[in-house]
Amino acid sequence: MATETLTLGKALNVGLRRALENDPKVVIMGEDVGKLGGVFRITDGLQKDFGDQRVIDTPLAESGIIGTAIGLAIRGYRPVCEIQFDGFVYPAYDQIVSQVAKMHYRSRGKLKIPMVIRIPFGGGIGAVEHHSESPEAYFAHTAGLKVVSCANPQDAYVMIQQAIASDDPIIFLEPKRRYWEKGPVEVDAPLADAYPLHAARVARPGTDVTVLAYGPMVRTCLDAATAAAEDGRELEVIDLRTLSPLDLGVVYESVKRTGRAVVVHEAPSNVGLGAELAARITEECFYSLESPVLRVTGFDTPYPAARVEEEYLPDLDRVLDAVDRTYGW
Amino acid sequence: MATETLTLGKALNVGLRRALENDPKVVIMGEDVGKLGGVFRITDGLQKDFGDQRVIDTPLAESGIIGTAIGLAIRGYRPVCEIQFDGFVYPAYDQIVSQVAKMHYRSRGKLKIPMVIRIPFGGGIGAVEHHSESPEAYFAHTAGLKVVSCANPQDAYVMIQQAIASDDPIIFLEPKRRYWEKGPVEVDAPLADAYPLHAARVARPGTDVTVLAYGPMVRTCLDAATAAAEDGRELEVIDLRTLSPLDLGVVYESVKRTGRAVVVHEAPSNVGLGAELAARITEECFYSLESPVLRVTGFDTPYPAARVEEEYLPDLDRVLDAVDRTYGW
Amino acid sequence: MAKGDPGVTTRGRRAAPRSKKAGAGKAGDPELVQLLTPEGERIESVTGPDGTEYRVDFTDEEYRGLYRDLVLVRKLDAEATALQRQGELGIWASLLGQEAAQVGSGRALRTQDMAFPTYREHGVLYCRGIDPIMPLGLFRGVDQGGWDPNEFKFNMYTIVIGAQTLHATGYAMGIAMDGKTGTDDGEAVIAYFGDGATSQGDVNESFVWAGVFNAPMVFFCQNNQYAISEPLERQTRIPLYQRAAGFGFPGIRVDGNDVLATYAVTRQALDNARHGQGPSLIEAYTYRMGAHTTSDDPTRYRIASEVEAWQAKDPIARMKAFLTKQQLADADFFAEVDEQARRESVHLRERVLAMPNPEPTTLFDHVYPNGSPLVEQQREQFSRYLESFEGSAH
Amino acid sequence: MAKGDPGVTTRGRRAAPRSKKAGAGKAGDPELVQLLTPEGERIESVTGPDGTEYRVDFTDEEYRGLYRDLVLVRKLDAEATALQRQGELGIWASLLGQEAAQVGSGRALRTQDMAFPTYREHGVLYCRGIDPIMPLGLFRGVDQGGWDPNEFKFNMYTIVIGAQTLHATGYAMGIAMDGKTGTDDGEAVIAYFGDGATSQGDVNESFVWAGVFNAPMVFFCQNNQYAISEPLERQTRIPLYQRAAGFGFPGIRVDGNDVLATYAVTRQALDNARHGQGPSLIEAYTYRMGAHTTSDDPTRYRIASEVEAWQAKDPIARMKAFLTKQQLADADFFAEVDEQARRESVHLRERVLAMPNPEPTTLFDHVYPNGSPLVEQQREQFSRYLESFEGSAH
Ligand SMILES: Cc1ncc(C[n+]2csc(CCOP(=O)(O)OP(=O)(O)O)c2C)c(N)n1
Ligand SMILES: Cc1ncc(C[n+]2csc(CCOP(=O)(O)OP(=O)(O)O)c2C)c(N)n1
Ligand SMILES: [Mg+2]
Ligand SMILES: [Mg+2]
């Protein structure tokens, strides 16, 4: 089995290439995805090799991207849409929540919209406004959409292909600050044997506190776990991977063991994923909890200017602080 | 003090009239708000009396409504925008979450966008798709916006005026199925003396279980409380009124007394307001809770066809069922 | 009227001066393509602003067929309105007054063409040969459409104003990507929308896209003068068909109460599209004779005399006058058509009344093609909850 | 150049034939209004497609003032690019090549006019008399704008493509509602956006609104030929200025590398607006000589020869050639301008370097005018959390 060391961004690129190779109905569309290869180069080289009918530079209008992709899907295509940055998905919000999410239901199952909407999301790259947001809650609250996020190159490579192969409409959140992080990728492993798309996974086993994260925060939590281990505390870090539907079996099992849970995400706290996780865990593990489920999140402010974003973003220390607090309760 | 019996819809209408009278900078804008008086007649007669520069029939485009209202706000106006139905707010989503919500922050406080966005929301009126949704979580998760909902004519009358007078951008959710319900309204009471806008209120005191609701579900929960009382259980029903920021002092106090809490809303459960309430209550009342906070909500499906909406919507029985379950835990 | 390819010609070339300039001789609107006056006079042919000659050469049978279509769709529509009044439908969006715009364009479609309707194109649906019961589940509230767009070459009704124009454009891009343009067998798309919809961002984005990708499609705007209560002036200060020029493709205004002109213009535009000549916009100038929907009260915002003026331009009356004058049809024929319409509407009514209410738990069906554990869990919980009432008085 | 009302005339009336037709005699683009050729030749006056005669009658001093503006904004821009390279700014969106479009339109604004920029209008900002340091906090990452649009009659930079055109339109509606049009003192609005932005729904909705409400405003599109990597053909198949016709107001294309023509055309359009004649669209035909932003690599999508061809149309070189040929300026003058530019850029650099980082807890400031208990609670918790590290090695 060939294992290559790839960045997360390159793993996505190779995964997209595989998807284009494997199914002639797959088309990539978005702003600057062609010659430029996307502002993050995730589609680098694909237009050159697959042509401008498979990798389509679109006019600058997100509603148009998603709306025309719906039409292509009705026609039998499998569109993979790139939204350039998290903060630019909102012009397409109506097409996503009222059309993409609802057409299968509206048709009583007769129509499928097998669309993937790729969104580089999250902060930490020193960008200007609208380039660092975490909109997952907006989509997870929307029935009819599935939402996933990858946290390492291996998952990036596999999950993008699984998402494209799935008939469900999927919001695919890419942890943009991790695009340049490297890891091993089994590039030849058959997709059918891969870990399922809509399943959480223990990223690091532990016994004391369950820490839940996804996307960019998985690395942060793994680092926190390393630090905690030095202090003699074993954190179990779970990479949620699928944000809607959540896969909580492994989480419940873990929390019942540890009695403590901390949820970490960059998005604001109020009515975020952390709230849902806290509510579900509490309902399921009520008699096991030694402390309430605590949340370590971005604050309930707009994403701030770059020079204070490190204060805004959950980091190792804030995760450890919350871990501590689950003991003091 | 003159007390009149008004429907909730009429109370809003009179409240809007007061706002137009009291401040020449207030303008109402939206689709069909003029001669027609809005599809629900909430702006009935206002264009006739205040002219078409104060009550503006706009082109049919929601992003345009909110976007131009922002410009009017920069110019010093106080726009009150009507979105015709909940499901039609999404074309304006970008302008709302990226502009309305963020301009005060972006300007470091130098610019205010004192806008009210009125949205008739929720189901139960037998309507076709997109006319029965409950989008509050999408806005409550957005820092920079405030979100309120009224549940009775008195609050409708006062809260709409308070919202318009406030410098914060406010999403004002109107429980459309309750537009025709009547109640007493103190039409002459000075606004300054009114109950604060961003405060929850006990709608019915009780000792056994705390039931949280807002907008259309307050009536449902009050009915449930009446039924429960016959069975000897005293529900304390709290009308949240402000959904962002939440006002939870009265809630915590209540739950610490009752040890049980049920949250009720029409919106889907997943990453909804109920999740936030459950998470916050659990954190604050951890040692008082006899059972986890339970949620009675719409299901995680698109809003269904009218002939099954009564199954989708929380009703008295489902509320009582959840109340029962808090005992069986 | 035979489906597929009725014996009609429209010619996409510069015409000799024997044909009139678009609407020449008509008072008021020099820009309107018209082949049948309100009085039932035929105009032989009309030359559009770009020199295209519009004419129809229907057989007698086909003329009668168009009349039959008009009467039938009006009658079925009236039946639906009645059903709503009686509480059998939750709401109804009537096409009254717009029959010619819908039958003319609907009959102009070839079998292989794809249509993207709003919520009002019952007449187009009928002309596609689709059972008129199909959309009534939506208005009764027993479903939200529930059909397969590809099976009927007719998308589900779209309620969000303008959204479907982008779907249509994407679909048309797909036709081009599939290499299905350039011949007589080429495919084309028609996207329906209203005058109000022209203000939506989505509709204008679809114009951008269609222009840039030279999409094989026709934008068919039924300008019925109102978006609910708002008159046309709230959406534009120039005629809507002129919008197209700003995006680099042709726009034309046709008398939307003239089934012949609407047919000719739409047929030409679709054929241009299928031959790879790209998009165009048709503004069918018509009038919504009834309320916006059964929930609406138009007396609040328009005066009776306006409605009366349009009554004189009725699409069916002029077709009847034409058939009568030309002795293409007699009283027996008209009686037979009315009888057919009556029969079909009774049949429709019976089937609407027989539509079963959906089972409660069907609300959990078809949220995702691949299902979702969350939805399944809720379905099970709710089923158990419902069962807990069984046998009780509930 | 004097601010307020420089001695310039443009005449909004049919002109006698002594003035050229727009761009007459120019190869390639008959539609372009030009008053100064790339070689620095003055065209006396040009008649636009609607018969408006465009001319400028600047004093020598004013001509030199425009040159000074051009050089200064280019130099300050280059300084910002350099600051970014050195890590002092997070990103920079350079205006290189677009100086004339920005100085021409910026100087055409009267004091009472309001501008809505994108993220690239540093030159307009400069011409408004605003300290060029103002937007640098945004690019440095110490704030996100942080100024009061009304204080400077210049809105904050808007990053979401097209969003500001609706704000501009609403503001312009407010001008009309305030009765502030119809006289020379009337107010007008200018909305800046790019060629890519013309595809956005919002921009087209603003065209709808402006037409319907006859808003006193100018849509100023800097067509710099690219939206990041995408060439103009991805946004339109016809010239962009023609878009306006589809919405019922005039559109005109001006040589955006010609500061005189840009000034004349913008001044006229603004004056039309302030006098109640409604909106218009100006397409300033120009070229983005540099990268989209400092994060971009244009070699991936465009060839060097294209850039070179545009180099020959440089807005500053032609102004310099004109001043030299007409003996309006000598070497001393040019040296003095360069020296001023150097001084101002050094001054700018010093102040950028001195910009303090914001205090951590300022991120909780100004979320709401009336505050929020949730935000205050988070601020307090975070402050306590930060304090817990004090004295520690952290
Ligand atoms: C995005 C959106 N906003 C508002 C509505 C409510 N609405 C339904 S029909 C309508 C008017 C549509 O007018 P027009 O496009 O002219 O079509 P017509 O109904 O006249 O056929 C409006 C505002 C909607 N369905 N979708
Ligand atoms: C809604 C939105 N989508 C995408 C982007 C990312 N983006 C920033 S600039 C740009 C290109 C803009 O092109 P144009 O309008 O021509 O302006 P220019 O940058 O050339 O001045 C894009 C796609 C954005 N800022 N906003
Ligand atoms: Mg209409
Ligand atoms: Mg550009």
Side-chain angles (χ1 to χ4, degrees), chain D residues 328-375:
Chain D
L328 298 176
D330 56 15
D332 282 356
F333 170 76
F334 296 125
E336 183 259 307
V337 170
D338 287 346
E339 173 55 20
Q340 181 188 352
R342 199 196 56 75
R343 264 194 335 269
E344 289 201 17
S345 68
V346 169
H347 186 51
L348 184 70
R349 157 174 296 262
E350 285 164 2
R351 291 185 298 156
V352 167
L353 298 187
M355 272 185 171
N357 276 350
E359 284 300 310
T361 56
T362 58
L363 76 86
F364 298 101
D365 294 347
H366 308 301
V367 182
Y368 300 92
N370 293 338
S372 152
L374 179 63
V375 176

Side-chain angles (χ1 to χ4, degrees), chain C residues 52-65:
Chain C
T52 303
E53 186 192 345
Y54 295 102
R55 58 161 64 233
V56 290
D57 298 318
F58 285 110
T59 64
D60 297 355
E61 187 57 31
E62 287 165 347
Y63 280 125
R64 284 190 295 267

Side-chain angles (χ1 to χ4, degrees), chain B:
Chain B
M1 203 85 85
T3 300
E4 292 184 20
T5 301
L6 300 178
T7 62
L8 192 151
K10 183 67 185 173
L12 288 167
N13 175 263
V14 181
L16 289 169
R17 177 176 289 275
R18 285 289 142 85
L20 285 165
E21 282 163 2
N22 291 340
D23 186 345
K25 289 297 183 188
V26 171
V27 290
I28 290 175
M29 50 199 291
E31 296 155 10
D32 305 294
V33 297
K35 273 193 191 164
L36 187 64
V39 294
F40 290 108
R41 311 291 185 265
I42 305 303
T43 56
D44 190 26
L46 300 180
Q47 190 183 65
K48 187 168 147 288
D49 294 343
F50 295 91
D52 61 8
Q53 303 257 313
R54 302 285 309 279
V55 182
I56 305 169
D57 270 333
T58 65
L60 204 178
E62 287 75 11
S63 191
I65 294 171
I66 304 301
T68 56
I70 290 169
L72 283 162
I74 297 175
R75 178 84 191 170
Y77 285 88
R78 303 183 83 85
V80 182
C81 301
E82 174 171 310
I83 298 293
Q84 200 159 72
F85 282 91
D86 33 62
F88 306 137
V89 71
Y90 308 123
Y93 202 64
D94 178 60
Q95 287 285 352
I96 296 174
V97 304
S98 291
Q99 304 300 332
V100 175
K102 295 190 171 63
M103 288 183 110
H104 185 66
Y105 197 70
R106 186 180 302 152
S107 74
R108 294 202 59 72
K110 301 207 179 71
L111 183 64
K112 289 172 190 156
I113 305 292
M115 190 189 300
V116 174
I117 303 176
R118 294 180 40 238
I119 312 178
F121 87 121
I125 63 160
V128 293
E129 209 185 345
H130 314 292
H131 290 72
S132 305
E133 299 184 8
S134 297
E136 61 271 22
Y138 296 136
F139 299 113
H141 184 57
T142 306
L145 299 177
K146 291 188 177 176
V147 185
V148 302
S149 184
C150 54
N152 59 60
Q154 173 67 34
D155 272 358
Y157 175 72
V158 171
M159 288 171 75
I160 189 65
Q161 293 182 70
Q162 290 172 317
I164 294 170
S166 168
D167 280 345
D168 297 327
I170 296 181
I171 309 288
F172 192 91
L173 297 169
E174 302 175 0
K176 71 167 90 75
R177 68 195 282 193
R178 308 297 180 199
Y179 273 150
W180 300 272
E181 293 188 6
K182 287 186 178 171
V185 178
E186 290 180 14
V187 286
D188 293 336
L191 206 56
D193 300 347
Y195 196 79
L197 178 60
H198 293 291
R201 185 158 54 188
V202 175
R204 173 182 170 129
T207 48
D208 298 336
V209 180
T210 305
V211 178
L212 306 174
Y214 51 88
M217 286 291 104
V218 174
R219 158 97 355 256
T220 304
C221 293
L222 288 171
D223 291 348
T226 306
E230 285 168 18
D231 295 348
R233 239 177 224 160
E234 291 301 331
L235 310 187
E236 175 145 305
V237 179
I238 298 182
D239 178 357
L240 291 171
R241 298 173 83 256
T242 175
L243 311 187
S244 179
L246 287 162
D247 173 38
L248 297 185
V250 58
V251 173
Y252 297 149
E253 186 278 319
S254 174
V255 176
K256 281 175 185 160
R257 258 193 295 113
T258 62
R260 295 181 164 82
V262 171
V263 190
V264 185
H265 58 62
E266 294 187 14
S269 174
N270 201 37
V271 201
L273 260 287
E276 181 65 27
L277 288 158
R280 301 265 287 274
I281 291 169
T282 307
E283 196 170 329
E284 191 70 26
C285 310
F286 190 64
Y287 291 110
S288 311
L289 283 175
E290 304 285 342
S291 113
V293 178
L294 296 187
R295 293 180 273 174
V296 181
T297 68
F299 298 112
D300 287 294
T301 71
Y303 196 91
R307 298 248 173 162
V308 280
E309 71 175 337
E310 293 304 336
E311 319 291 342
Y312 177 90
L313 292 169
D315 62 4
L316 185 151
D317 285 321
R318 277 176 63 200
V319 174
L320 293 178
D321 177 66
V323 165
D324 283 351
R325 282 189 289 128
T326 64
Y327 281 88
W329 216 263

